[in-house]
Amino acid sequence: HRDLHYPLRRQRQMCIRDRYMQGALERKARKEKLNETVEEINNIKQEMSEMKDMLRQLLENKSNGN
């Protein structure tokens, strides 16, 4: 009786494993995409800071008559 159910049990275990692995791969892909997005945001923040400094310098030069 038990032997009859073994292939079904094994199939179910493999489905559970495959579903878990698929979920893990999807989580990894989302994490990588999130990390890329954070990196892009940090790059934009750095560029904006540099532009802010350049504008500040231009305004100082203009107010000093340069």
Side-chain angles (χ1 to χ4, degrees):
H1 180 52
R2 186 176 246 185
D3 291 340
L4 182 64
H5 294 294
Y6 179 75
L8 295 176
R9 183 179 304 125
R10 179 152 173 74
Q11 178 70 28
R12 183 170 181 270
Q13 289 171 339
M14 290 171 61
C15 287
I16 291 169
R17 182 205 62 204
D18 291 348
R19 196 167 41 237
Y20 173 80
M21 291 303 295
Q22 181 64 33
L25 290 172
E26 289 171 0
R27 284 189 298 276
K28 182 179 179 188
R30 282 194 305 268
K31 184 177 180 180
E32 288 172 355
K33 180 66 176 165
L34 181 60
N35 287 340
E36 290 172 11
T37 302
V38 167
E39 187 175 341
E40 287 177 30
I41 290 170
N42 286 334
N43 289 340
I44 291 169
K45 284 171 63 176
Q46 180 64 35
E47 290 172 8
M48 289 179 72
S49 177
E50 291 168 5
M51 288 201 269
K52 183 176 149 186
D53 291 342
M54 289 186 332
L55 283 171
R56 183 179 292 121
Q57 187 65 40
L58 285 170
L59 289 172
E60 286 176 10
N61 289 345
K62 186 175 180 180
S63 68
N64 291 336
N66 294 339

